[in-house]
Amino acid sequence: MSGLAGDWLAPPRRTGRALPFMEMAAVLVSLLAALPVLFVGWMAWTTGWRSSAALIFRPRVGELLVNTGLLVILAVPLAMVVSTALAWLTECTDLPGRRVLSWFCVAPLAVPAFVQSYAWISLCPRFQGLPAAVTISVLSYFPFLYLPVAASLRRLDPALSETAAALGLSPWAVFARVTFPQLRLALCGGALLIALHLLSEFGLYVFVRFDTFTTAIVDQYQSSFAGPAATMLASVLVICCLVVIVLEAAARGDARYSRVGSGVARRPKPACLGKTAIPCLACVCAVIALSLGVPFVTIGRWLAAGGLAIWRLDEIVPTLAQTAILAFAGGVLTTAMAVPMAWLSNRAPSRLQHGLEKLNYVIGSLPGIVVALALVTIAVRVVQPLYQTMATILLAYGLMFLPRALISLRASIAQAPIELEQAASALGRGPAQALFATTIRLAAPGAAAGTAMAALGIVNELTATQMLAPLGTHTLAMRFWSFSGEIDYASAAPYAAIMVAISLPFTGWLHVQSKRMAGE
C-alpha cells in the first residue's frame, strides 16, 4: 500500500519499449482485479434502482455507517498520536533501550487482529462495543504507522531542526513547525493503510460485539447466500474505501518533500529527555505491554490450562500443512501476477500502465469479503465447476495481496539495469528470453520478499478463506475461529500460538528492512 500512498499522482516517464506480451498480461491481471467492483455494479444494476435504494437507504445501513465512521474517526487519529510519539521517542531521543524497544513497537504486527481481540475478550469478557473496538484496533494496527514515521525520522536532515533551534524556537516549536510537516507523507500513507484495515476487519469486531459493514455482510451472506442485501452492503463498503483513498490523496497534496542535494549525511544528536526519561519509558512499555503482553499472557494462560490435551497433532499437523500449501501457492501466484505490471512500471511506463497499476492498488485495498462475495457469485452463476476449488481461492489471494508483491518487485526491477536486457537481445535472445535471463533473475530477492509478504497475509486471512475454501480445507485461522466461536478458548490457543510464531520472523525482517532503507 505504500506504493499507493507514495506515487498516486506521479506522472509516468517512458524509459523503454513495452513488450506486447507483458502489456497483454498486465491488462489481463487488471481485468481480473476489476471483477469485484464490476460485480458490485452489475448486481446493483440487475437488482434495479428501487430495490437497491430500498436496501441501501434503510436504518440498518445508517447504523452501520455511523459505527464504521466513528471507528475510523476515533481509531486513526489515536493510532497517529501513539505511533508518532513512539517513533520520536525511539528514534530521536536518548530513551533507555530505544533500539530494543523499536523492535517491540513493530512486533504487534505478528499478532493477527482477531487473535488480539480473542486475548482481550477472554481476559475481560465485558470489554465490548465501540470503546473495545477502538482500543484493540489501535493496539493491533499502530505499527502500520510506526514503521513509515520512524523511517521518515531517520532520513530527516538534522541541519533543518538545528537551524530552527538556532533561530530561537523551542524543542516543541521545532517539532511542530519543522519535523512534523515532513512526516506528512508517512502519516497519510500509514493512516490510509490503517483505515482500510478497519473497514475490512471482521474477526476483531465479532469478538467485541461491534457491528460494522464487514460483519453485517458476512451475516447477510450466511443467511441469504450472496443475496441482494449482502451485495448492496458491499457496494456501500466499496464506496467507503474509495472515499478514504480520495481523502488520503487530498490530505497528502502535491507538495515537494525531497531536496536536490543529499543533505547532511550524519545522524542527528538525540534529544535529551532528562527528568522525563522514566515517564516516557513507562509510556512506551505500557503500549508494548498492552499490545504484546496481553495476547502473549492470554495465549500462554490458555495453553497452560489446556495442557497436552489441546495439542491434537492429528488435527494440527494437517491444518498446518494445508495452510502452508495455500500460503506458498498463493504467494507464488500473487508474485507471478505482479511481474508484468512491475516490469512495465519501470521499463515502459505510460498513462495506461499508470491507471492499471492504481486500479490494482484500489482493488487490493478492498475487504476480503467483497472479493470473496464477487468470486462466489461469479463461480455459482457463470463457472459452476470453479466453485469451492483451489483455483478460486488462489485467485482471491492474488487479487487481495497483489499490492504487497507489486511494491517489492517494482523496487527490485528498478535496480536491474535495462542495458542488460538490451545486451541480451543484441546477442540474439528473444524478448522473453532476454527478460527472464537478466531482469527477472536479478529481481529474484524482491520476488522472494513479495512472495513472503503475500504468504504471511494468507496465513492470517479469515473471511475470504471461510467463503472460498474447498470442502475439507482447514487453515490455522479457520480452526482458531471455529474453536473460539464455540468459546473453547483453550483449544483455540495452539492455533493462535502457531500463527504468531510464524509471523514473528516476518515482522523482524520488516524492521530490519526499514532500517536498511534509511541507510543504517
Side-chain angles (χ1 to χ4, degrees), residues 2-65:
S2 59
L4 175 63
D7 65 351
W8 181 270
L9 300 176
R13 297 180 300 164
R14 182 167 290 275
T15 59
R17 182 171 61 87
L19 299 178
F21 70 89
M22 295 295 275
E23 285 189 326
M24 292 177 60
V27 170
L28 176 60
V29 170
S30 298
L31 289 176
L32 290 174
L35 283 177
V37 172
L38 294 176
F39 158 76
V40 170
W42 175 72
M43 285 294 292
W45 175 265
T46 56
T47 302
W49 166 248
R50 289 187 178 181
S51 298
S52 298
L55 290 171
I56 293 175
F57 298 104
R58 54 193 175 109
R60 175 58 173 166
V61 176
E63 178 185 337
L64 295 172
L65 193 59

Side-chain angles (χ1 to χ4, degrees), residues 103 408 445 449-450 452-453 504-514 516:
W103 184 86
S408 297
M453 292 306 299
L504 274 174
F506 290 99
T507 61
W509 177 82
L510 275 176
H511 187 241
V512 171
Q513 288 296 110
S514 175
R516 184 176 300 169

Side-chain angles (χ1 to χ4, degrees), residues 227-483:
T231 306
M232 292 306 102
L233 288 176
S235 68
V236 179
L237 186 55
V238 169
I239 293 172
C240 290
C241 290
L242 296 177
V243 168
V244 168
I245 291 172
V246 171
L247 289 176
E248 186 273 340
R252 176 167 29 88
D254 56 359
R256 179 173 178 146
Y257 293 88
S258 59
R259 302 183 303 271
V260 175
S262 60
V264 180
R266 60 182 174 85
R267 290 280 293 169
K269 182 180 179 181
C272 181
L273 293 176
K275 295 180 179 179
T276 63
I278 299 302
C280 289
L281 180 61
C283 291
V284 174
C285 291
V287 174
I288 294 172
L290 293 175
S291 58
L292 284 177
V294 170
F296 278 35
V297 169
T298 302
I299 293 173
R301 181 167 64 90
W302 284 117
L303 288 175
L308 295 177
I310 59 176
W311 291 92
R312 306 182 184 97
L313 296 183
D314 57 327
E315 294 181 0
I316 293 176
V317 172
T319 299
L320 183 58
Q322 290 181 339
T323 303
I325 291 171
L326 284 175
F328 177 77
V332 171
L333 176 63
T334 304
T335 303
M337 292 172 64
V339 169
M341 189 63 66
W343 186 87
L344 289 174
S345 178
N346 287 283
R347 296 295 191 252
S350 64
R351 293 191 182 278
L352 173 63
Q353 174 275 326
H354 190 66
L356 293 177
E357 184 175 355
K358 298 310 172 246
L359 173 65
N360 290 320
Y361 284 125
V362 171
I363 301 305
S365 69
L366 295 180
I369 184 66
V370 176
V371 177
L373 197 60
L375 295 183
V376 163
T377 306
I378 292 171
V380 169
R381 299 189 179 188
V382 182
V383 281
Q384 178 70 39
L386 291 182
Y387 177 61
Q388 283 196 327
T389 62
M390 288 288 287
T392 306
I393 192 171
L394 291 178
L395 176 59
Y397 291 151
L399 300 182
M400 292 167 59
F401 301 110
L402 186 62
R404 299 191 184 198
L406 185 54
I407 291 169
S408 297
L409 262 177
R410 191 175 59 179
S412 291
I413 291 177
Q415 296 173 352
I418 190 174
E419 289 80 9
L420 294 179
E421 282 185 51
Q422 296 169 346
S425 298
L427 292 173
R429 297 284 184 93
Q433 291 177 320
L435 171 66
F436 285 94
T438 57
T439 301
I440 299 301
R441 290 182 64 181
L442 291 175
T451 300
M453 292 306 299
L456 176 60
I458 293 170
V459 168
N460 297 329
E461 208 287 321
L462 179 61
T463 51
T465 305
Q466 284 183 314
M467 293 176 63
L468 298 173
L471 293 175
T473 300
H474 299 284
T475 65
L476 294 170
M478 291 173 66
R479 287 284 193 188
F480 168 84
W481 188 252
S482 175
F483 283 118

